[in-house]
């Protein structure tokens, strides 16, 4: 590393050599301590003196002593060493998760479990600060593209970006209806519901993307569509009788049970998974690596607990 100053540049190695000369009071002893030859130390000392532009040492008897500039530089060397030690201590703290920053962006539908996971993680590591962004899939993709966060949580990672994407939890999508909804027939298919009004998430949402793909796969076109930009509003609207919707089971809680039901539609649930996504492995900070591992444990502990349980939804 080069440190620029007014008259040229100097290197950390020169400072290290000067520090030894200043501390030991002699070029010979500094050379011995650093396993260098005496001329090598003298050359570096001369180059450093030129870079500083002022004499750093002066002869006294058979030895040398520091000039005022030399004493000031010696003090600066000590401060640099202390700053470096603090930096190393911070690295150690971050590696041990005693401090650090974790930036996560998650798609809106992941807000039903991800903040809870973050909360538990921070309880384990209170020194870690968290920044959480909640956006739809397009919003999270934009942050991923701009490398604004350490980790990104979404269901459909971009296939053509060189990112690492690790699935950690199922994310099934189900058809919901008001509790009182009478299905037109026993063996229900999506096309049988095509005349109902469907509440759809906005374009750019991952849920919407999955729904559009399913409609295309089944060659079904919905006659009456209404775009609603939030899972919560969609649930309320369905409960209020406005129409049907396709949502993640994670968006459904026990509290929704009395007002909603999941329809047993062929081809459903649409099977998807939550992924934790990031750019290359090497750049991941210690808190980000730890949270990625924690997510796998969290998912294992909560598998089956999210959303409606068992047959209670029929
Ligand atoms: P969304 O994403 O919240 O943007 O709909 C959810 C998902 O990708 O499953």
């Amino acid at each position: 590393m080069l440190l620029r100053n007014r008259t040229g540049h100097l290197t950390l190695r020169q400072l290290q050599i000067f520090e030894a000369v200043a501390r030991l009071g002699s070029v010979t002893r500094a050379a011995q301590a650093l396993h260098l030859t005496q001329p090598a130390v003298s050359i570096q000392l001369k180059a450093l003196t030129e870079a500083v532009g002022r004499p750093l040492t002066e002869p006294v008897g058979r030895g040398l002593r520091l000039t005022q500039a030399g004493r000031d530089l010696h003090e600066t060397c000590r401060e640099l060493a202390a700053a470096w030690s603090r930096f190393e201590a911070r690295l150690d703290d971050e590696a041990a998760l005693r401090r650090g920053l974790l930036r996560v962006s998650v798609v809106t539908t992941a807000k039903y479990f991800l903040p809870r996971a973050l909360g538990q993680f921070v309880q384990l590591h209170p020194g870690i600060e968290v920044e959480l962004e909640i956006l739809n899939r397009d919003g999270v993709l934009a942050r991923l593209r701009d490398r604004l966060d350490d980790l990104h949580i979404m269901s459909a990672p971009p296939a053509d970006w060189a990112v690492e994407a690790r699935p950690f939890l199922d994310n099934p999508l189900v058809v919901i209806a008001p509790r009182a909804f009478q299905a037109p027939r026993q063996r229900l298919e999506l096309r049988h519901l095509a005349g109902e009004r469907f509440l759809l998430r906005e374009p750019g949402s991952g849920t919407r993307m999955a729904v559009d793909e399913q409609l295309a796969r089944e060659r079904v076109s919905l006659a009456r569509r209404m775009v609603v930009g939030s899972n919560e509003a969609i649930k309320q609207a369905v409960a209020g009788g406005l129409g049907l919707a396709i949502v993640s089971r994670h968006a459904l809680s026990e509290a929704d049970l009395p007002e909603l039901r999941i329809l047993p539609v062929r081809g459903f649930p649409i099977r998807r998974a939550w992924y934790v996504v990031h750019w290359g492995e090497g750049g991941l900070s210690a808190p980000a690596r730890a949270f990625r591992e924690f997510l796998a444990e969290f998912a294992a502990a909560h598998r089956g607990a999210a959303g409606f349980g068992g047959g209670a939804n029929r």
Side-chain angles (χ1 to χ4, degrees), residues 124-145:
L124 290 174
H125 308 291
I128 305 271
E129 272 182 53
V130 173
E131 286 176 16
L132 175 63
E133 283 285 341
I134 301 177
L135 299 157
N136 72 12
R137 179 174 181 272
D138 270 7
V140 171
L141 280 185
R143 291 187 70 87
L144 173 63
R145 186 196 56 221

Side-chain angles (χ1 to χ4, degrees), residues 21-310:
V21 171
R23 182 164 36 85
L24 300 169
S26 130
V27 170
T28 313
R29 282 200 288 273
Q32 279 165 356
L34 296 171
H35 305 292
L36 294 172
T37 62
Q38 210 171 311
V41 170
S42 298
I43 288 169
Q44 293 294 341
L45 209 51
K46 187 160 174 285
L48 179 63
T49 305
E50 278 166 15
V52 171
R54 301 261 283 279
L56 299 170
T57 60
E58 56 194 9
V60 46
R62 289 163 47 139
L64 55 78
R65 71 172 169 218
L66 299 181
T67 60
Q68 183 59 48
R71 284 198 293 278
D72 289 345
L73 182 58
H74 192 200
E75 177 59 26
T76 303
C77 287
R78 281 196 286 257
E79 284 169 12
L80 281 175
W84 183 259
S85 301
R86 284 197 300 276
F87 169 63
E88 284 188 324
R90 278 193 212 125
L91 290 186
D92 289 348
D93 280 355
E94 201 206 61
L97 303 177
R98 286 188 293 266
R99 71 188 290 281
L101 174 65
L102 175 63
R103 290 160 307 187
V104 189
S105 60
V106 309
V107 292
T108 46
T109 308
K111 75 171 182 205
Y112 293 99
F113 65 92
L114 208 279
R116 186 176 292 263
L118 270 175
Q120 291 182 8
F121 181 74
V122 169
Q123 273 185 6
L124 290 174
H125 308 291
I128 305 271
E129 272 182 53
V130 173
E131 286 176 16
L132 175 63
E133 283 285 341
I134 301 177
L135 299 157
N136 72 12
R137 179 174 181 272
D138 270 7
V140 171
L141 280 185
R143 291 187 70 87
L144 173 63
R145 186 196 56 221
D146 295 343
R147 297 173 190 254
L148 294 180
D149 305 301
D150 302 303
L151 299 176
H152 308 77
I153 311 293
M154 66 183 80
S155 279
D160 46 353
W161 296 11
V163 290
E164 302 230 358
R166 191 190 274 189
F168 63 94
L169 187 63
D170 290 342
N171 178 24
L173 299 190
V174 293
V175 183
I176 56 167
R179 187 83 205 161
F181 181 79
Q182 294 295 326
R185 59 177 74 205
Q186 272 274 311
R187 299 166 80 82
L188 200 53
E189 294 180 24
L190 198 51
R191 64 193 168 92
H192 301 141
L193 300 171
E196 302 290 333
R197 181 188 291 113
F198 266 81
L199 308 177
L200 301 170
R201 284 284 304 277
E202 74 287 0
S205 130
T207 309
R208 171 65 180 270
M209 189 174 89
V211 169
D212 286 346
E213 285 168 4
Q214 184 76 4
L215 291 170
R217 245 191 318 274
E218 299 200 22
R219 296 203 174 85
V220 171
S221 80
L222 301 174
R224 296 188 291 159
R225 303 150 69 103
M226 182 171 156
V227 174
V228 179
S230 110
N231 291 319
E232 279 307 302
I234 284 180
K235 279 194 315 185
Q236 295 299 327
V238 172
L242 205 52
L244 310 184
I246 298 171
V247 296
S248 165
R249 275 181 74 132
H250 290 280
L252 304 171
S253 71
E254 291 297 320
D256 298 317
L257 266 172
E259 295 186 304
L260 297 176
R261 60 184 292 224
I262 295 177
L263 296 181
V265 180
R266 211 189 69 173
F268 284 83
I270 302 174
R271 303 214 171 274
R272 308 175 81 218
W274 291 114
Y275 288 81
V276 55
V277 181
H278 58 88
W279 294 102
E281 188 79 27
L284 223 45
S285 70
R289 255 196 322 276
F291 185 60
R292 195 184 53 164
E293 299 311 318
F294 178 83
L295 269 182
E297 292 164 27
F298 179 87
H302 289 78
R303 208 153 276 144
F308 283 131

